[in-house]
Amino acid sequence: MNHISKRKQDHVDLCVNHNMNHKSKTTGLECYEFIHNALPEINYEDISTASFFLNKEIAAPLFISSMTGGFKGAISINQQLAEIASTLNIPLGIGSLRIALHDSSVHDSFTIIKHIVGDTIPLFGNIGAAEIAQNSNHPPLLSILDKCYADAIAIHLNPLQELLQPEGNPQFKGVLHGIESFVKLYEKPVIVKEVGAGISMNVARKLLDIGVSAIDVAGAGGTSWAGVELSRNSDAKFDDYLWDWGIPTSECIEMIAPFKNTHAFELYASGGIQSAFDIAMSIALGADSVGMAGSIIKSLMNDGNQATLTMIENLIINVKRIMFLTGSHNIEQLKLATIKKK
Ligand SMILES: Cc1cc2nc3c(=O)[nH]c(=O)nc-3n(C[C@H](O)[C@H](O)[C@H](O)COP(=O)(O)O)c2cc1C
């Protein structure tokens, strides 16, 4: 097994079998509550959770975040994630395609997804910032994105992870320019995401000014990628305080949502999303869609695909209940639901 395959497998194993969450930091969503609406003036059965993701209609404002690919077990994981996403009609992120740029023998673990989902759901590829900074990587990346029939790409910004990864590559000079030239080259939408340390207002402004289509905040409060890499890194020089480095998810949403007044883009909330309340509150704070990674892979590996499907179905039903109790007919109305800081 090559070293990237081994790393991808380690990531799944650590996230499933150990507690890789932030230790003292939370999403901050729990600091808010909805104001109960005793006069909702709607019938429960008339409520619709249908939503849009990059102009495609989906069943709920929820997606499975980019996770894996590139090792033997990833074929089965991606196959099951694809079946779940396609059954539920929600978007799916493919794991980082970096390994596929170097090793065509692992392409199946990525391309299998489209065979299952067909044209039903939005499917987005994934690549790291460091790769995107190298213009020479663009043609092979475009070719593998084509092979996956991706509808969009998510570029991940992960300076904290690269810094702590034993084999990491903390070379971030030229990343913004690299994203800008990729936005011009790629004919489909470009999403930019973090991986659990969050995107600030200043970073969001720079990304929106170069024309990205969507920002996924991937804030702190869920999986800590510092935690994952510190667990793989026996270098004692690293300080444990970095485990909890990052901007809580709710703060990212609050900082970035006001750009909706000046820029056309979609805002995605992820990082520590676990409950229907987290989903609904993220929407009420200004997100268009909400992503989940860690809790989905844990459920899939520990409880199987049927239980994971049921878990996500229950999340959507409970979002609908919150919509009823806030008088929200649809997701656009949920965005306007009255909330308060506790
Ligand atoms: C097993 C696993 C693998 C991941 N691999 C990737 C990846 O390849 N590319 C990426 O952008 N993010 C990756 N992530 C990060 C997630 O997409 C997400 O941004 C982050 O885990 C925070 O969400 P969470 O708290 O719901 O896990 C991965 C997450 C998990 C749990």
Side-chain angles (χ1 to χ4, degrees), residues 76-188:
S76 155
I77 295 176
N78 280 341
Q79 188 175 348
Q80 294 180 77
L81 291 176
E83 281 162 6
I84 292 168
S86 150
T87 306
L88 293 171
N89 188 20
I90 57 171
L92 173 63
I94 305 173
S96 172
L97 293 164
R98 179 178 177 190
I99 188 169
L101 294 176
H102 307 288
D103 181 355
S104 59
S105 73
V106 300
H107 282 191
D108 282 7
S109 63
F110 299 101
T111 54
I112 188 171
I113 297 176
K114 194 66 181 188
H115 295 312
I116 294 163
V117 305
D119 272 337
T120 51
I121 57 163
L123 183 66
F124 51 98
N126 184 281
I127 196 72
E131 245 68 36
I132 220 74
Q134 299 169 21
N135 282 314
S136 57
N137 275 343
H138 290 177
L141 177 58
L142 290 173
S143 139
I144 178 77
L145 285 166
D146 260 5
K147 226 173 147 184
C148 291
Y149 295 96
D151 299 302
I153 186 169
I155 298 172
H156 62 259
L157 304 175
N158 62 342
L160 174 64
Q161 182 184 15
E162 294 290 350
L163 188 65
L164 302 184
Q165 199 169 77
E167 62 284 60
N169 183 21
Q171 312 282 337
F172 273 65
K173 204 168 176 172
V175 164
L176 186 65
H177 181 67
I179 298 174
E180 186 174 17
S181 50
F182 197 80
V183 167
K184 288 184 183 140
L185 184 75
Y186 190 47
E187 286 160 356
K188 297 178 180 175

Side-chain angles (χ1 to χ4, degrees), residues 39-337:
L39 256 183
E41 288 292 347
I42 45 176
N43 297 332
Y44 178 75
E45 67 267 21
D46 294 337
I47 294 171
S48 166
T49 58
S51 179
F52 283 89
F53 187 97
L54 300 173
N55 296 322
K56 255 195 182 176
E57 190 166 349
I58 51 172
L62 180 63
F63 62 92
I64 302 178
S65 291
S66 315
M67 278 191 274
T68 204
F71 65 96
K72 206 163 162 244
I75 298 184
S76 155
I77 295 176
N78 280 341
Q79 188 175 348
Q80 294 180 77
L81 291 176
E83 281 162 6
I84 292 168
S86 150
T87 306
L88 293 171
N89 188 20
I90 57 171
L92 173 63
I94 305 173
S96 172
L97 293 164
R98 179 178 177 190
I99 188 169
L101 294 176
H102 307 288
D103 181 355
S104 59
S105 73
V106 300
H107 282 191
D108 282 7
S109 63
F110 299 101
T111 54
I112 188 171
I113 297 176
K114 194 66 181 188
H115 295 312
I116 294 163
V117 305
D119 272 337
T120 51
I121 57 163
L123 183 66
F124 51 98
N126 184 281
I127 196 72
E131 245 68 36
I132 220 74
Q134 299 169 21
N135 282 314
S136 57
N137 275 343
H138 290 177
L141 177 58
L142 290 173
S143 139
I144 178 77
L145 285 166
D146 260 5
K147 226 173 147 184
C148 291
Y149 295 96
D151 299 302
I153 186 169
I155 298 172
H156 62 259
L157 304 175
N158 62 342
L160 174 64
Q161 182 184 15
E162 294 290 350
L163 188 65
L164 302 184
Q165 199 169 77
E167 62 284 60
N169 183 21
Q171 312 282 337
F172 273 65
K173 204 168 176 172
V175 164
L176 186 65
H177 181 67
I179 298 174
E180 186 174 17
S181 50
F182 197 80
V183 167
K184 288 184 183 140
L185 184 75
Y186 190 47
E187 286 160 356
K188 297 178 180 175
V190 173
I191 304 163
V192 177
K193 72 188 285 285
E194 235 285 347
V195 298
I199 291 188
S200 66
M201 182 168 67
N202 284 338
V203 170
R205 184 185 291 114
K206 288 180 187 163
L207 295 170
L208 294 172
D209 285 347
I210 59 164
V212 307
S213 300
I215 293 178
D216 175 359
V217 304
T223 310
S224 161
W225 281 88
V228 174
E229 299 303 350
L230 285 167
S231 306
R232 297 180 60 238
N233 199 334
S234 51
D235 186 342
K237 288 198 292 294
F238 282 116
D239 224 316
D240 215 29
Y241 84 91
L242 290 174
W243 189 298
D244 267 354
W245 183 273
I247 313 167
T249 298
S250 62
E251 288 179 30
C252 297
I253 309 169
E254 281 188 291
M255 282 192 282
I256 301 175
F259 287 120
K260 290 268 179 170
N261 297 322
T262 51
H263 296 73
F265 72 106
E266 290 185 5
L267 175 58
Y268 306 148
S270 72
I273 302 298
Q274 304 209 9
S275 64
F277 168 83
D278 291 342
I279 297 168
M281 188 51 79
S282 297
I283 303 281
L285 283 173
D288 296 297
S289 264
V290 181
M292 296 174 74
S295 16
I296 289 185
I297 194 84
K298 273 190 210 108
S299 168
L300 184 69
M301 303 303 274
N302 292 327
D303 307 324
N305 56 358
Q306 191 50 51
T308 307
L309 185 80
T310 306
M311 186 261 286
I312 303 175
E313 272 170 346
N314 283 335
L315 287 175
I316 297 172
I317 291 169
N318 281 298
V319 167
K320 202 167 162 181
R321 290 180 177 140
I322 293 173
M323 292 172 73
F324 179 66
L325 295 172
T326 55
S328 314
H329 247 120
N330 54 38
I331 296 300
E332 285 310 303
Q333 288 183 359
L334 179 60
K335 287 183 186 170
L336 304 173

